[in-house]
Amino acid sequence: MAREIPDATVARLPIYRRSLVELASTGAEMVSSAALADLAGVNAAKVRKDLSYLGTYGVRGVGYDVKFLLRQIGDALGLDIETPVVIVGMGNLGQALAHYGGFSSRGFPIVALVDASDAKVGEVVDGITISHIDDLAAIVDEHAIAVGIIATPAEAAQAVADALVAAGVRSILSFAPSVLHVPETVPLRKVDLATELQILGYYQQRESPAEGGNTDKSA
Amino acid sequence: MAREIPDATVARLPIYRRSLVELASTGAEMVSSAALADLAGVNAAKVRKDLSYLGTYGVRGVGYDVKFLLRQIGDALGLDIETPVVIVGMGNLGQALAHYGGFSSRGFPIVALVDASDAKVGEVVDGITISHIDDLAAIVDEHAIAVGIIATPAEAAQAVADALVAAGVRSILSFAPSVLHVPETVPLRKVDLATELQILGYYQQRESPAEGGNTDKSA
DNA sequence: CCCTGTGAAGCAGTTCACAGCG
DNA sequence: CGCTGTGAACTGCTTCACAGGG
């Protein structure tokens, strides 16, 4: 199944995908690397190099078939099948994430919500009843959940990560401002909101000449 | 004022800072690169190299003074002064961000909330009354707002970014799933939640042998 | 003649390994 | 003797530039 794709390229595939979805909705059938680069906010050479890791799908002198390319990227990202998600931590952020439609619409339906507080268990958010964290293993099993989102305070995050791994979740997205240790086999990504602002602070302060670092690479 | 710090290092400074705050609260006075590396989840050589960009602050044979280092990192990130923030877009995500305490506590108080919908204007969230986006320039001016957070749908994001720049905001953090164009002088960082999940999808699907890419670099 | 695909050059970031100072 | 600071090697990503196919 295809070859090894560099991390930096993988991180850009979702952006190409988004651009292609947009293009497809305008009725475009073919797209050149230059046009796609423009939409995705990168340069054309990068687009060609990135796409070349997927395979030789372009047509010289013409460009890429939009629909075909969409399918190829979707396959590479494993979007051909739905990936059920559980959110752990139903504070402000967890609730917002539960309401956020962007996940389900992109193949990551939220099928369970979990919290450690008895006060929250039983409450219904966006049509889903909040369960207790102690039942995590059963819930993950029942819904065949593959991804866990951690939206707890920093102190609880490691224990939650351990519980998610033990329950059989295959990858984790954490919003907790802390370093997490998970087995090598479990892909982990972190988003720390306060950190993002602090990074901006650096560039702002020195009347920055360019984009603030590398969100490009990770989103 | 100090020399040029590489992007990758800047992105890690907030993590070192977090680790140092933790250490300080335990009463530790000195810390070695190895110990700090452990807390921050990186290796010791990286810590030393990173800190060397700030200056020669370590003591050979001993380590780094925790409090002093904290101050140096804070200075580099411009955290010596408070940086007022406005959130644009009061949907689920915007509301959650408004409630999230992690910003204010780290020097980025949220001083204004803005939305385009008349239905939302006037509503009070977390003690702040939502204003209309048309008043953005006046609000930014009045509160000396330096950072704008975009939490609108993708379609509105570019217009909002333009308005923020025009209003005099100095840097932008966007949660909208779209490519934004801003002047080179305005640092911009992007966080796209759905993109993060899609990246995980790739690694998960191939029984990944390591962390899913580079959130490390950006958070 | 246009646009892809890709070797090769260039650059940035990481890691190594050790000299040097306390 | 321990731990920092840093040249130097290395690795991986980006950009260039052009050969080659439609």
Side-chain angles (χ1 to χ4, degrees):
Chain A
M1 43 164 87
R3 45 188 152 165
E4 179 84 352
I5 303 177
D7 288 350
T9 295
V10 171
R12 281 188 294 268
L13 290 180
I15 302 175
Y16 296 143
R17 207 184 102 85
R18 202 166 66 198
S19 306
L20 288 168
V21 168
E22 218 174 287
L23 267 175
S25 78
T26 70
E29 310 236 312
M30 299 298 286
V31 63
S32 69
S33 61
L36 183 52
D38 212 49
L39 283 170
V42 302
N43 71 42
K46 207 181 267 180
V47 169
R48 290 200 300 276
K49 185 70 106 181
D50 284 342
L51 295 184
S52 77
Y53 291 114
L54 301 181
T56 308
Y57 298 142
V59 180
R60 291 168 195 245
V62 180
Y64 302 86
D65 182 290
V66 173
K67 277 191 179 143
F68 182 80
L69 195 52
L70 255 178
R71 195 158 50 240
Q72 295 306 318
I73 292 178
D75 279 2
L77 295 175
L79 301 180
D80 39 328
I81 47 164
E82 295 230 311
T83 305
V85 175
V86 59
I87 300 177
V88 182
M90 282 292 111
N92 295 310
L93 186 58
Q95 302 231 2
L97 295 174
H99 285 296
Y100 181 56
F103 295 142
S104 311
S105 70
R106 300 192 208 197
F108 294 87
I110 292 157
V111 299
L113 305 174
V114 160
D115 199 286
S117 143
D118 287 328
K120 293 219 170 95
V121 172
E123 201 179 301
V124 176
V125 175
D126 209 51
I128 300 172
T129 304
I130 299 177
S131 305
H132 195 278
I133 179 104
D134 289 348
D135 301 328
L136 188 61
I139 293 165
V140 167
D141 198 51
E142 181 191 345
H143 299 281
I145 290 173
V147 176
I149 296 182
I150 301 179
T152 65
E155 311 79 68
Q158 183 62 58
V160 168
D162 294 344
L164 284 168
V165 170
V169 153
R170 301 186 52 203
S171 58
I172 295 177
L173 174 59
S174 172
F175 289 89
S178 66
V179 173
L180 295 181
H181 298 279
V182 296
E184 293 236 321
T185 51
V186 178
L188 166 69
R189 292 186 66 86
K190 290 155 250 148
V191 174
D192 182 345
L193 308 175
T195 291
E196 295 295 328
L197 285 180
Q198 290 176 54
I199 295 170
L200 281 178
Y202 172 83
Y203 293 100
Q204 175 173 305
Q205 158 182 248
R206 34 194 71 213
E207 215 66 27
S208 159
E211 290 219 345
N214 67 349
T215 301
D216 284 339
K217 294 179 197 153
S218 59
Chain B
M1 45 164 83
R3 47 189 151 160
E4 178 83 354
I5 303 177
D7 289 350
T9 295
V10 170
R12 281 188 295 267
L13 290 180
I15 301 174
Y16 296 144
R17 207 183 102 84
R18 203 165 67 196
S19 306
L20 289 167
V21 167
E22 220 174 286
L23 267 176
S25 77
T26 70
E29 310 234 314
M30 301 296 288
V31 63
S32 69
S33 60
L36 183 52
D38 213 49
L39 283 169
V42 302
N43 71 41
K46 207 182 266 181
V47 169
R48 291 201 298 278
K49 184 72 101 181
D50 283 344
L51 296 183
S52 77
Y53 291 115
L54 301 181
T56 309
Y57 298 141
V59 181
R60 290 167 195 247
V62 180
Y64 302 85
D65 183 289
V66 173
K67 277 190 180 146
F68 181 79
L69 196 51
L70 255 179
R71 197 159 49 242
Q72 295 306 318
I73 292 177
D75 280 3
L77 296 175
L79 301 180
D80 40 325
I81 48 165
E82 295 232 310
T83 304
V85 175
V86 60
I87 299 177
V88 182
M90 282 293 113
N92 295 311
L93 185 59
Q95 301 231 3
L97 295 173
H99 285 296
Y100 181 57
F103 294 143
S104 312
S105 70
R106 300 193 206 196
F108 294 87
I110 292 157
V111 299
L113 304 175
V114 160
D115 199 285
S117 141
D118 287 328
K120 293 220 170 93
V121 172
E123 200 178 303
V124 177
V125 175
D126 209 52
I128 299 172
T129 304
I130 299 177
S131 305
H132 195 277
I133 180 102
D134 289 349
D135 300 328
L136 187 62
I139 293 164
V140 167
D141 198 52
E142 181 191 345
H143 299 280
I145 290 173
V147 176
I149 295 182
I150 300 179
T152 65
E155 311 78 67
Q158 183 61 57
V160 168
D162 293 343
L164 283 168
V165 171
V169 153
R170 300 186 53 204
S171 57
I172 294 177
L173 175 58
S174 173
F175 289 88
S178 66
V179 173
L180 295 180
H181 297 279
V182 296
E184 293 236 321
T185 51
V186 179
L188 166 69
R189 290 187 67 85
K190 289 156 250 149
V191 175
D192 182 344
L193 308 177
T195 291
E196 294 295 328
L197 285 180
Q198 290 176 53
I199 295 170
L200 281 178
Y202 172 82
Y203 294 101
Q204 173 173 308
Q205 159 182 251
R206 35 193 70 212
E207 215 65 26
S208 161
E211 290 218 345
N214 66 350
T215 302
D216 283 336
K217 292 180 198 151
S218 59

